[in-house]
Amino acid sequence: MAFVFLGFLSYSINKSTMPLPFIADTVYKNKDFTSQALQRAEYDNCTFINCNFENSFLSAFSFLDCVFEGCNLSNIKVKDATFKDVTFLDSKMLGILFSDCNKLLFSASFTDCVLNFSSFYKIKLVSSKFKNCVFDQVDLTEANFTKATFDTCNFKNAVFEQTNLEQADFSKAINYSINPERNKIKGAKFSKDQISGLLDTYKIVIS
């Protein structure tokens, strides 16, 4: 019995450490991965268009130089997943814990995406670009967005706490509430029309 158990354990370990299949230069269009799961693999230069990943398990998957366009990625599970040089376009991305991803290799850009209820806790996205994105109730605690650009982004109810925003561009962002005493904002750009978002903590009246 011990021999059988050890054999099974050895098989499980070997299986979990096997290299992922490699899939490159492939386009997936109008696929519903909630009914038939995407193959666990390393995807390189692949494009996903109008695909539904809602609640999918993408843990330990690898996406390199991939594009997600018009996809529903809400509540995907991304424990130890790798997203390197990935582009997200016009996608629904509710409740994603990016903090669970492979932090060392994480790099991405976001355009026209809804990121509500997601978490970037301790994520490093230096010089990243966000355009026309919604961050309602997104957790940005201890994240590093140095030199990031937030073009026409809405930060209503987003949480900034010990966040590094040095030299970041918020000049076209709206509805942020950032405490200068609890976040790094040296060299960051802000709009005069939204300056109240830096003064909320002082409970003062601006007229």
Side-chain angles (χ1 to χ4, degrees):
M1 181 65 71
F3 174 78
V4 173
F5 175 75
L6 290 173
F8 174 77
L9 181 61
S10 176
Y11 168 78
S12 298
I13 293 174
N14 290 335
K15 184 178 179 181
S16 65
T17 57
M18 289 175 61
L20 295 176
F22 182 77
I23 300 174
D25 306 317
T26 303
V27 176
Y28 299 85
K29 191 171 184 178
N30 300 322
K31 299 292 186 181
D32 185 359
F33 295 117
T34 65
S35 57
Q36 184 173 351
L38 180 68
Q39 179 186 0
R40 181 171 173 266
E42 179 178 328
Y43 293 88
D44 189 352
N45 196 39
C46 292
T47 302
F48 301 87
I49 301 173
N50 297 329
C51 295
N52 185 10
F53 290 89
E54 187 170 12
N55 295 311
S56 293
F57 285 86
L58 302 182
S59 298
F61 280 55
S62 182
F63 298 96
L64 312 175
D65 294 300
C66 291
V67 176
F68 294 84
E69 181 176 354
C71 294
N72 182 0
L73 296 151
S74 295
N75 299 309
I76 57 173
K77 310 303 184 290
V78 292
K79 179 70 173 176
D80 297 324
T82 296
F83 292 92
K84 186 176 186 296
D85 296 328
V86 172
T87 300
F88 296 100
L89 303 170
D90 191 25
S91 292
K92 185 178 179 182
M93 308 179 69
L94 309 181
I96 302 176
L97 300 180
F98 291 106
S99 49
D100 285 346
C101 292
N102 179 342
K103 292 184 176 68
L104 288 177
L105 297 177
F106 189 60
S107 57
S109 64
F110 302 78
T111 300
D112 297 318
C113 292
V114 180
L115 295 157
N116 301 351
F117 308 106
S118 293
S119 173
F120 287 89
Y121 176 65
K122 287 191 174 181
I123 283 291
K124 183 178 181 180
L125 278 173
V126 174
S127 299
S128 54
K129 297 185 183 302
F130 296 82
K131 184 174 182 178
N132 296 330
C133 292
V134 183
F135 287 81
D136 191 4
Q137 299 189 58
V138 171
D139 184 7
L140 304 165
T141 302
E142 295 185 41
N144 185 347
F145 289 107
T146 302
K147 297 182 180 180
T149 300
F150 299 101
D151 186 354
T152 324
C153 292
N154 190 336
F155 287 93
K156 182 180 179 181
N157 300 317
V159 178
F160 294 90
E161 182 68 25
Q162 303 300 325
T163 308
N164 190 340
L165 304 171
E166 293 182 341
Q167 300 183 59
D169 189 349
F170 282 82
S171 59
K172 295 183 180 179
I174 61 172
N175 293 329
Y176 48 79
S177 180
I178 302 171
N179 185 340
E181 297 178 8
R182 299 185 65 84
N183 297 279
K184 296 180 180 180
I185 63 171
K186 184 178 180 180
K189 299 178 182 177
F190 298 95
S191 166
K192 288 187 295 184
D193 295 335
Q194 296 290 318
I195 196 68
S196 60
L198 299 176
L199 303 172
D200 291 341
T201 188
Y202 303 114
K203 308 298 182 183
I204 61 178
V205 178
I206 300 174
S207 59

